[in-house]
Amino acid sequence: MNIFGIFILITLFGFLFSFKKFKQLMNKEEGEKKIKEISDLVHKGALSFLKTEYKTISVFAIIIAIILFFINYVLAICFLFGAFVSSLVAYVGMYVSTKANVRTVTSAKKSLKDALDTSFSSGLVTSIFIVSIGLIGIIILFSIFKDVNLLFGFGFGASLVALFLRVGGGVFTKAADVGADLVGKVEKGIPEDDPRNPAVIADNVGDNVGDVAGMGSDLLESYIQSIIAAMVLGFLAFGNLGLILPLFVCSVGVLASVFGSFFVNLKNQNIYSAINKGFYSAFLFMVFVLFFVVLSLNKIIYNSFFVFGPNSLFSLFFCVVLGLLSGIIISKYTLYVTSADKKPTRSIAESSKTGAATNILKGLSVGMFSTALPIIVVSISIIFSYSFGGHFGVALSSVGLLGILGIVLAADFYGPVVDNAQGLVEMGGLSKKIQERTERLDAVGNSTAAITKGFAIASAAFTSIALFISYIVVTNISTIDLINVNVIVSIFIGAMVPFVFCSFLIEAVESAAFKIIHEVRRQFKSIKGLMSKKQKPDYDACISICTNQALKGMLLPAIIAIVLPVLIALLLGPEAVGGFLAGAIGTGFVLAIFMANSGGAWDNSKKYIEQGNLGGKGSEAHKAAVVGDTVGDPFKDTCGPSLNILIKLMTIVALVFVPLLI
Amino acid sequence: MNIFGIFILITLFGFLFSFKKFKQLMNKEEGEKKIKEISDLVHKGALSFLKTEYKTISVFAIIIAIILFFINYVLAICFLFGAFVSSLVAYVGMYVSTKANVRTVTSAKKSLKDALDTSFSSGLVTSIFIVSIGLIGIIILFSIFKDVNLLFGFGFGASLVALFLRVGGGVFTKAADVGADLVGKVEKGIPEDDPRNPAVIADNVGDNVGDVAGMGSDLLESYIQSIIAAMVLGFLAFGNLGLILPLFVCSVGVLASVFGSFFVNLKNQNIYSAINKGFYSAFLFMVFVLFFVVLSLNKIIYNSFFVFGPNSLFSLFFCVVLGLLSGIIISKYTLYVTSADKKPTRSIAESSKTGAATNILKGLSVGMFSTALPIIVVSISIIFSYSFGGHFGVALSSVGLLGILGIVLAADFYGPVVDNAQGLVEMGGLSKKIQERTERLDAVGNSTAAITKGFAIASAAFTSIALFISYIVVTNISTIDLINVNVIVSIFIGAMVPFVFCSFLIEAVESAAFKIIHEVRRQFKSIKGLMSKKQKPDYDACISICTNQALKGMLLPAIIAIVLPVLIALLLGPEAVGGFLAGAIGTGFVLAIFMANSGGAWDNSKKYIEQGNLGGKGSEAHKAAVVGDTVGDPFKDTCGPSLNILIKLMTIVALVFVPLLI
């Protein structure tokens, strides 16, 4: 197939672009020694976290690979390759972003425009790398093994690593955050990013662990899984055309993201609108290119530009557009719910005036209500894409949503870089002017983070549905009937799992946070010259506590996700697994939106008060808002994101193992 | 059918028993004028709340009845009768319990034994009335109209009123509670049940509204619906035998409850064990009687005592026992999770030491984890009862669970009576000795409330499943296939609805509480002689605010529950309604357990600290625990209970309307 050559060329172009950006980044000045030293600590801490995680992940991965090997050696190879790619991607992301923070500080000395350029470019290095390697991985494996069904092994490997990184990262980042804040800021009264705080490096590492390693591996997984599901369903519906189309959409997406990146250019001092321009240019590029390709293909095949009807190229084009639009709407809505200048978050801030309890209740209520719109958008999109292109259409709209992943992820990776840069500026005590610049960059980072969170949840829902449909098709179950009592019961069990899963995660964060608090207090007590800056704290101790707790916390959730679908299949049969997945995906999706949005809204309602509203810092309202923010931390940074992976991982486990059990 | 005569005799016996207990109660002394005055205020407030609610409910009920009338006039009659019975039951319950509180105080002057006797007997008046009227209602309607399918109208009417009372009651009770506590206790520093507090009567009314009117109508609904669903499915599977069996099980249950009530007798000063003896005697009575009936029927029909095999009488007997056991296990587990002397609640108390945020997180985590066991118990029970008796078996185990409702409800109604009595003793400033007695009664009331809450949730789940199965059977949908995209989407929408529903409820409680806080503050300010007891507060103002807010708060949730299933049917078809219900029942059940258990555990972890542990009242831990308790209030008393009705009501709406739309 000649077209595969074109796809490979496009991914190679992606790698080149990513590499060029990387070289540009590394060529930038690192600046003062003092700041560089701290940045190096963060860099080393991040990589040491990954090393320790990878050891445990390897054990898991090898055990699963051995099991798979006895079933089908190709599946085992694909699985290991998927696990490797996901691990590699997280490593690259962490490496780049912890190199980019200090360079953003140096750029900020020149201008805001330069600083945005440096930080956003560093995001592009990893994000374009991710979409390129995801795409070429699929192409290579398919070219070698020729069986698209075996590619699910690739998705499974990526999914397993993603779960570990998301859960582990979620525990790490919140434990470090709480530990640093509670003892440093509250008990000792030193500023947020003070180098005297023993947990400050762990906190900075944590930002990267959660937002770079976690988010990167999460969306890489969605990307891979959606493409594979679409290829499987596409092949069944349209033969080779169905195989090629998803790859084609994503190839155009790679180009669209690169294209969009050129528009992220500070002109009128509005950082947010600059990044937004990048999004919309990529979106428009994708829509227009696909539109014209469809037009010309129609002309070639049917000798007429406009050919409509079910399963026509235009119908499939609309599926892609529906996915893209759904992603944008849900992302923007997430931003709306969690923005300090919008009603939902404001109402939480208002409720803080009457204390912590009303703040908590309002936050829960806002989060619960915010589940409605995303569910409705996803539902409408699925119903229409099904009517346009059948099951393949649904999978294709999932691919469409993820098409502009390259630019969306870049905006997400930008967040921890500027957050770290802002920390470095504070720790280094740089000038007000630079501080103001990094603060402005950081403020936008919160918005892009909210957008990506919405995007990640939407993509997880779409991907799970695409995988779920593939499950039904692949297992050849003709019907999964709700009148079957086993199916009903399994829906209930599926609905329960996300809650129990979150309970484990909250416990893990809590116990890790307690350990860190204890350690930070111990250091402040036993290291005499710490407060007077004569002695340095033992940063590594905090990092290794966070790492170990993260490891401990991720085992049980991972086992749940892998074992349960198989157990249900063995006890209640493959139909019941369908019910189980439907229950788990439905509740998991809703719970993820609820927790992510409540958490984000609590966070920003606190920030709103800290800006001087409703009494400002130190007021009773502020104290109440701090409670909400602390409750929201594991909601938005541990539970919400981990649920995304849970629903995808359980579905892919069912897809890989259940057909073998029948 | 001669057997119907026996059933009618048993229900008549139930009415007689209830009436005798009522007369005994009313013949007891009312005691001092001062206490009687306050009790009369509570009594009047309770009835005035009901009157106002009934006006709005009537409007709703009449509109629906008119719609039903044009479809089938029998359905409309059954519906109105159901609404009437549910309203009547709530009225009787409120009437009796607000007459019993003052009589419990007088009895407490004599002895603890007498006080338990008075309060528990008052519970029996209503509870035996409820099971008798539920049973005879079904028998009468069936005898007149001969079509069991039309009886769903009866269930629908009861369900609608139950929703209004549960939601309205939940809003009323929490608003009054928060208002009374926050301004009275916290701001003014007066004791909990001080007659100077303008919201104190509303608070006492609220206890009855939630636990008597709400719980009574909720469980009456479960009772009716389970029996009808079992009759419908039983008739299909076994003809007339299947019609009779559910009624027979319930008739034995009425006798069992009366039998059990004789064992609620204080011997060794342990109130809880006395009530427990009542439960277990009823349980054993029921199991033994049914066992021997099965034995003798087998002898008569097959000339052999022991005849096993699928669909044999023994199989069906096991279904009943499975239901009974599930109810007991889930109830006891609920008690375990929420008891101050058990690990889950203790761990929340421990977490209060580090502040409100950790208290909240721990409470959420405990509640989320506690969803696992009930779901597993229900699942196992359903799978086995299905294998024993098919779909009818599942419905029969729901009937079995509700068999001993008479005694369970009595224990629940006992709660607000002793709570009110305790309040009256405080307000009247009676002797320490009496106060100690009512306090001991009240402490047990928390345990019985926890048990009934578990029971109510379990019964709601069982009932919804029985109704859900009936839906599939009645609509003649041969399959509800998960490969159908409309079904998948509807599962998601169904999973979302309970969250949005709870969001509305939390908002309603919050806004009602704000209004009450405002009013109480206003009265303390404007009524000069209030604090010096020279002037009386305007109790009615608080009651009418609570009532109005309750009315306002219940409209939107009621409309959601009634309109959504119909809307889904119109837009996506009757199969999709099946998916919608499965999603809503699954998530609603899990969410209800989570919220009820978190709320209960928060409440008792605060009480545990107030007993002098972890620093006791006024400590930092206590302050944190108060936040948890306040968050937990709408969780356990508004959202949890209302979710029970939501899942039942939506299913019965689908059952009644969707077959007409096909």
Side-chain angles (χ1 to χ4, degrees), chain A residues 362 365 479-481 503 507, chain B residues 362 365 479-481 503 507:
Chain A
K362 196 63 166 188
S365 157
T479 53
I480 296 187
D481 197 343
S503 166
E507 294 287 329
Chain B
K362 195 64 167 187
S365 156
T479 54
I480 297 186
D481 198 342
S503 166
E507 293 288 328

Side-chain angles (χ1 to χ4, degrees), chain A residues 577-593:
Chain A
V577 176
F580 171 76
L581 293 176
I585 296 171
T587 312
F589 181 28
V590 178
L591 200 59
I593 303 169

